[in-house]
Amino acid sequence: MTRRFGDRATFAVEVGEVESPHLRTVDLWAAGKQLTTDDNSAYLPSFCPAMRLTAAQVRQRDVPPCPFPGRSPEAVFRLLEQDETAFRERFWFLQWGETLDTVSRYAYLDGDLVLVFSFWRPTHPIPDDRGTIFVATLPPDEFATTVLAAAELLDVESVR
């Protein structure tokens, strides 16, 4: 049985079947798009702590502000993608392992949490989505609550 936390239209974590004591099916959604299209097997000993760290950073507003004020989220994404310095690394987001290695993703605070992402892998299952920039905007506390609730379930399920 799958349990959903959050809203697919903004950000959601869907916890699915147990694959082994340390692996669980986890689907991540943002802006109505499934981010975990190629690999949704989460290795819980590293996935759960990464989720908790991200949630804490967002809840404490320890996410950088918009790097290019006055620009659209899509323009911000393009500028960060073009940057070849360590500057863009400050905006990397959802560093949760291989489940998201087909998606370029950044986040910043602009009142709300703004998550901008694009699928880069040529074999992405939805051809029209490749290269398209997607934007999800939600209150930081809503994001943190969603992630922490899913992490709690994953922690409980992994010790059974």
Side-chain angles (χ1 to χ4, degrees), residues 13-136:
V13 179
E14 294 180 355
V15 177
E17 68 184 64
V18 174
E19 298 175 28
S20 77
H22 296 296
L23 288 176
R24 185 81 186 252
T25 300
V26 177
D27 284 308
L28 302 174
W29 293 78
K33 298 294 177 181
Q34 183 179 356
L35 302 177
T36 49
T37 57
D38 287 5
D39 181 3
N40 63 352
S41 294
Y43 180 66
L44 301 180
S46 59
F47 196 80
C48 291
M51 290 176 76
R52 290 182 185 288
L53 177 62
T54 301
Q57 289 171 327
V58 170
R59 180 154 283 155
Q60 296 166 4
R61 308 312 193 259
D62 188 19
V63 176
C66 181
F68 306 104
R71 306 269 178 119
S72 71
E74 294 84 359
V76 168
F77 179 90
R78 282 189 213 79
L79 290 167
L80 288 171
E81 279 289 279
Q82 293 168 4
D83 186 288
E84 294 183 6
T85 69
F87 174 75
R88 77 174 174 173
E89 294 174 18
R90 294 178 45 215
F91 300 91
W92 285 351
F93 198 64
L94 300 177
Q95 300 299 309
W96 296 354
E98 293 86 20
T99 58
L100 292 166
D101 66 359
T102 64
V103 185
S104 293
R105 61 221 175 268
Y106 304 98
Y108 56 88
L109 290 177
D110 194 10
D112 283 334
L113 179 68
V114 180
L115 172 60
V116 289
F117 64 94
S118 182
F119 298 97
W120 63 266
R121 187 168 284 171
T123 57
H124 183 69
I126 306 169
D128 289 346
D129 284 356
R130 285 191 300 252
T132 301
I133 299 167
F134 298 97
V135 180

